[in-house]
């Protein structure tokens, strides 16, 4: 009986993932336009959250630079997909957005990843503000534009691009976690000094991970811009996008790869529902939910699910 | 052959000379003890050798090559491993993973995962932690955490191992086991430098002893020479009756 339970459990997760993937891929066929747009924004948050966890969750460096990388991606679209005529195909621009963000991450990371703890968090936060201010200055005094308009892209194209990035970021996280590189990242998160003394090039591992995570944030920003259609520095470098991934990751639980996704999905869905159904109390109720989660679910929603699952599946074994 | 050499090694913290103009050498294959009162600069010297700190001024040579400007991970990859006075294990990772990190990234970074795992298991076996391979490292007793640090350091395949107070806080049985462990490490051909306050262990295990006091080297010699040295007794050992306890 144990063996059947075991194989059932083994095939459960990949099976479930396949079902979810198929459901997502076919969504535009059976779902309404509203649902496609809702899932697109859920995927956007999931992308940011999973990429944030990829770096910050394992190395323990709390990055608040998400909005900077996201915004750089958004500006890639603003520059290369203007309403006056797209310079490159959408997918190429998405790639440019990702690469530009990782380049900035490489530079910034090499300079600042020696900072620890709160100093690193503050620096990354300041980075967002700095880039935004630079953007404002540039638009005002060099390009003389208040904002930029991005071409309209079909909702399904946006959806599938977002989904593609999501699948890529999940696969990347999955393989990095199981690799030697992932072991180095976890060692750094556990004790950076010890990690360096057993031969791990801690600076290189941190900078590369930072850049990989920034790539997905930038790519996500680039495709998101086609949904925004109007872009200015305040829209692109909104600091809210630095904090959302952190909150979503805490909400879902960072224990494994699915926690952040569950967190992002529930969070984004809640946000959407509360915003449309109860606009007056949206922010208040949101705050209460978050406080409750942090107080009572230290391992996030996923931790709760795992606890319940253990009670259901492990209950039988406990009696024997 | 001198596997490790220091010339005029100095390190100031603000106005305080933590290590001051220390010359030292370590012969290949020997066990060298580094002793001295608290604050004498022993751990600082370890930090300088392992490149956690940079000497200023001073030169440290490994196998005749200047290694003063290297990074900690480079020091490890050329064959110098260390443990820490306050254990720095990866507490939330299983014991085996701790050691695996050592064998993956040590002196032979291109290793396949089967080889690395075999090596990690071998290191665990060597220190006697095989049965605890799957336990989270944070759940081990202090003695076992210290053994784990040794296993992790050995997994990097060092030629020179720096042990920082391996026996502090351990009971008599554990100290005896640790002394045995150091001897077995030496028998594997690994040169050992150990900081230790447990005199019985130092006198028993070491071929040679270096004594630091206020950052300066005040004596150097065989255990017998150190145990009878007037200066050492004055600043560190105290009455001779205490020297052996």
């Amino acid at each position: 009986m144990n063996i059947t339970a075991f194989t059932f459990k083994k095939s459960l997760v990949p099976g479930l993932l396949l079902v979810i993937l198929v459901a997502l891929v076919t969504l535009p066929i059976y779902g309404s336009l509203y649902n496609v747009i809702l899932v697109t924004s859920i995927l956007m948050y999931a992308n940011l959250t999973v990429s944030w966890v990829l770096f910050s969750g394992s190395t323990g460096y709390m990055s608040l630079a998400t909005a900077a990388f996201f915004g750089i991606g958004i500006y890639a679209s603003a520059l290369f997909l203007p309403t006056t005529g797209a310079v490159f195909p959408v997918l190429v621009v998405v790639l440019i957005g990702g690469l530009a963000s990782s380049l900035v991450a490489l530079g910034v990371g090499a300079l600042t990843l020696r900072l620890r703890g709160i100093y690193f968090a503050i620096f990354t936060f300041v980075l967002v503000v700095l880039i935004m201010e630079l953007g404002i200055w540039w638009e005002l005094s060099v390009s003389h534009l208040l904002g930029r308009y991005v071409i309209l892209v079909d909702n399904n194209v946006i959806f599938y691009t977002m989904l593609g990035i999501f699948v890529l970021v999940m696969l990347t996280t999955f393989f990095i976690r199981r690799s030697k590189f992932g072991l180095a990242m976890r060692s750094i998160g556990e004790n950076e000094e010890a990690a360096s003394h057993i031969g791990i090039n801690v600076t290189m591992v941190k900078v590369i991970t930072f850049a990989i995570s920034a790539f997905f944030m930038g790519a996500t920003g680039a495709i998101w811009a086609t949904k925004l259609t109007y872009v200015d520095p305040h829209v692109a470098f909104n600091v809210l996008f630095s904090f959302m991934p952190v909150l979503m990751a805490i909400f879902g639980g960072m224990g494994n790869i699915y926690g952040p996704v569950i967190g992002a999905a529930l969070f984004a869905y809640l946000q959407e529902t509360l915003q449309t159904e109860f606009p007056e109390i949206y922010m208040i109720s949101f705050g209460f939910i978050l406080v409750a989660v942090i107080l009572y679910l230290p391992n996030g929603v996923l931790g709760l699910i795992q606890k319940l699952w253990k009670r259901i599946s492990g209950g039988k074994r406990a009696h024997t | 052959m001198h596997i490790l050499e220091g010339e005029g090694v100095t390190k100031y913290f603000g106005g305080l000379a933590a290590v001051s103009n220390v010359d030292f050498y370590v012969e290949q294959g020997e066990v060298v003890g580094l002793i001295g009162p608290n604050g004498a600069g022993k751990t600082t010297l370890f930090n300088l050798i392992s490149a956690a700190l940079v000497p200023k001024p001073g030169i440290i040579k490994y196998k005749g090559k200047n290694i003063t400007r290297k990074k900690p991970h480079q020091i490890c990859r050329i064959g110098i491993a260390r443990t820490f006075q306050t254990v720095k294990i990866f507490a939330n990772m299983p014991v085996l993973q701790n050691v695996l990190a050592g064998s993956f990234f040590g002196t032979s970074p291109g290793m396949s995962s089967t080889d690395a795992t075999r090596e990690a298991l071998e290191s665990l076996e060597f220190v006697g932690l095989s049965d605890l391979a799957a336990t989270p490292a944070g759940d081990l007793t202090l003695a076992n955490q210290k053994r784990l640090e040794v296993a992790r350091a050995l997994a990097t395949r060092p030629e020179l191992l720096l042990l920082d107070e391996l026996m502090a806080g351990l009971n008599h049985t554990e100290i005896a086991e640790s002394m045995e462990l150091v001897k077995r490490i030496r028998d594997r051909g690994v040169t050992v430098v150990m900081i230790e306050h447990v005199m019985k262990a130092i006198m028993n295990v070491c071929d040679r002893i270096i004594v630091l006091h206020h950052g300066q080297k005040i004596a150097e010699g065989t255990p017998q020479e150190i145990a009878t040295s007037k200066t050492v007794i004055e600043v560190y050992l105290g009455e001779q009756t205490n020297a052996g306890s």
Side-chain angles (χ1 to χ4, degrees):
Chain A
M1 198 190 87
N2 261 343
I3 292 167
T4 46
F6 183 69
T7 44
F8 168 69
K9 214 174 165 185
K10 264 243 155 171
S11 53
L12 183 72
V13 173
L16 205 63
L17 286 182
L18 196 70
V19 170
I20 292 172
L21 192 65
V22 169
L24 281 173
V25 170
T26 51
L27 180 72
I29 299 166
Y30 65 84
S32 64
L33 181 62
Y34 170 78
N35 279 331
V36 172
I37 292 172
L38 175 67
V39 175
T40 304
S41 56
I42 287 178
L43 286 173
M44 182 273 286
Y45 281 119
N47 288 350
L48 294 185
T49 309
V50 176
S51 359
W52 181 82
V53 171
L54 175 64
F55 172 73
S56 294
S58 52
T59 61
Y61 279 77
M62 164 106 165
S63 164
L64 291 177
T66 311
F69 302 132
F70 186 60
I72 289 169
I74 290 177
Y75 257 87
S77 280
L79 292 173
F80 297 118
L81 296 174
T83 35
T84 49
V87 183
F88 299 115
V90 174
L91 278 180
V92 174
V93 175
V94 168
L95 199 65
I96 292 174
L99 288 175
S101 289
S102 15
L103 274 180
V104 172
L106 280 178
V108 171
L111 281 174
T112 64
L113 276 167
R114 71 193 72 199
L115 300 172
R116 300 260 182 110
I118 190 77
Y119 300 101
F120 179 75
I122 295 293
F123 181 89
T124 50
F125 180 71
V126 170
L127 180 74
V128 178
V129 180
L130 178 75
I131 294 183
M132 182 176 77
E133 293 296 335
L134 275 176
I136 293 169
W137 172 80
W138 178 270
E139 297 288 49
L140 279 179
S141 42
V142 182
S143 58
H144 303 291
L145 287 169
L146 280 176
R148 294 165 186 268
Y149 292 91
V150 180
I151 53 162
L152 284 172
V153 174
D154 180 63
N155 277 312
N156 286 347
V157 174
I158 302 178
F159 172 77
Y160 281 120
T161 313
M162 211 55 110
L163 184 61
I165 299 171
F166 176 70
V167 171
L168 274 181
V169 73
M170 289 300 279
L171 287 175
T172 308
T173 306
F174 179 76
F175 283 114
I176 284 185
R177 274 184 175 233
R178 317 185 100 209
S179 74
K180 185 177 146 178
F181 194 78
L183 182 63
M185 278 160 55
R186 251 172 299 140
S187 304
I188 292 170
E190 290 277 332
N191 193 312
E192 186 163 349
E193 201 185 340
S196 73
H197 284 291
I198 56 169
I200 296 172
N201 187 345
V202 291
T203 314
M204 198 185 76
V205 172
K206 284 186 295 183
V207 172
I208 288 178
T209 318
F210 198 47
I212 293 173
S213 127
F215 176 86
F216 293 112
M217 292 170 177
T220 304
I223 191 65
W224 187 246
T226 63
K227 193 170 167 292
L228 293 171
T229 64
Y230 171 79
V231 173
D232 68 28
H234 290 282
V235 171
F237 300 100
N238 183 348
V239 290
L240 198 65
F241 287 103
S242 283
F243 291 104
M244 283 308 228
V246 186
L247 295 179
M248 288 172 170
I250 294 171
F251 191 68
M254 286 193 273
N256 78 27
I257 189 171
Y258 309 112
V261 181
I262 295 172
L266 281 177
F267 213 93
Y269 180 75
L270 258 176
Q271 189 188 25
E272 178 73 23
T273 325
L274 290 173
Q275 213 166 8
T276 46
E277 308 278 326
F278 315 97
E280 321 78 38
I281 57 155
Y282 147 61
M283 269 314 208
I284 302 173
S285 43
F286 213 48
F288 276 121
I289 291 171
L290 204 68
V291 169
V293 168
I294 291 172
L295 281 180
Y296 299 109
L297 302 176
N299 297 317
V301 176
L302 188 78
L304 180 74
I305 296 172
Q306 282 171 336
K307 218 159 122 191
L308 291 175
W309 175 252
K310 251 188 205 155
R311 205 169 286 175
I312 298 164
S313 67
K316 295 165 207 148
R317 250 167 279 150
H319 288 294
T320 57
Chain B
M1 188 191 114
H2 291 179
I3 189 167
L4 187 73
E5 263 175 290
E7 294 164 16
V9 176
T10 303
K11 178 72 195 176
Y12 277 89
F13 291 126
L16 175 84
V19 172
S20 172
N21 202 21
V22 172
D23 294 326
F24 64 91
Y25 68 90
V26 177
E27 295 277 357
Q28 182 127 36
E30 69 178 345
V31 178
V32 174
L34 191 55
I35 65 171
N38 285 325
K42 305 180 295 291
T43 297
T44 306
L45 190 58
F46 266 22
N47 286 339
L48 291 166
I49 298 170
S50 62
L53 298 170
V54 181
K56 203 179 169 186
I59 289 175
I60 295 170
K61 287 181 184 166
Y62 176 71
K63 293 183 173 171
K65 276 190 209 136
N66 188 344
I67 55 164
T68 319
R69 292 281 147 206
K70 289 199 185 294
K71 293 262 164 29
H73 71 270
Q74 294 171 320
I75 295 289
C76 173
R77 287 183 190 174
I78 60 173
I80 304 178
R82 70 170 294 181
T83 67
F84 300 89
Q85 188 176 0
T86 48
V87 284
K88 294 190 196 303
I89 46 163
F90 306 139
N92 296 310
M93 281 157 52
V95 165
L96 180 63
Q97 292 240 314
N98 272 258
V99 185
L100 201 54
S103 46
F104 262 135
F105 295 96
T107 51
S108 33
M111 204 183 271
S112 77
S113 66
T114 5
D115 287 350
T117 312
R118 201 189 53 232
E119 193 143 295
L121 287 170
E122 196 269 326
S123 282
L124 280 180
E125 174 88 52
F126 184 78
V127 302
L129 287 179
S130 300
D131 295 344
L132 297 166
T135 316
D139 292 351
L140 299 182
T141 61
L142 179 65
N144 282 340
Q145 292 189 348
K146 293 202 161 191
R147 272 186 210 134
L148 173 58
E149 277 210 332
V150 175
R152 188 178 63 187
L154 284 176
T156 68
R157 292 212 234 180
E159 285 181 62
L160 174 65
L161 179 60
L162 311 174
L163 298 171
D164 197 345
E165 295 206 25
L166 180 62
M167 300 167 198
L170 305 190
N171 66 32
H172 285 293
T173 326
E174 291 162 348
I175 287 176
E177 286 166 358
S178 296
M179 281 161 61
E180 204 46 49
L181 181 61
V182 174
K183 286 180 185 165
R184 285 195 290 126
I185 293 170
R186 181 197 55 203
D187 294 344
R188 277 171 71 143
V190 178
T191 310
V192 176
V193 181
M194 56 193 287
I195 294 177
E196 200 53 70
H197 284 296
V198 181
M199 276 307 130
K200 184 176 68 184
I202 284 282
M203 295 297 169
N204 190 308
V205 174
C206 295
D207 301 307
R208 210 155 48 77
I209 295 172
I210 297 171
V211 188
L212 289 182
H213 183 53
H214 289 320
Q216 282 165 331
K217 189 174 81 176
I218 58 161
E220 184 174 5
T222 62
Q224 288 73 27
E225 287 164 359
I226 295 300
T228 53
S229 155
K230 245 188 174 153
T231 14
V232 178
I233 291 169
E234 241 163 57
V235 306
Y236 185 53
L237 295 180
E239 293 296 312
Q240 234 173 339
T241 42
N242 294 338
S245 68

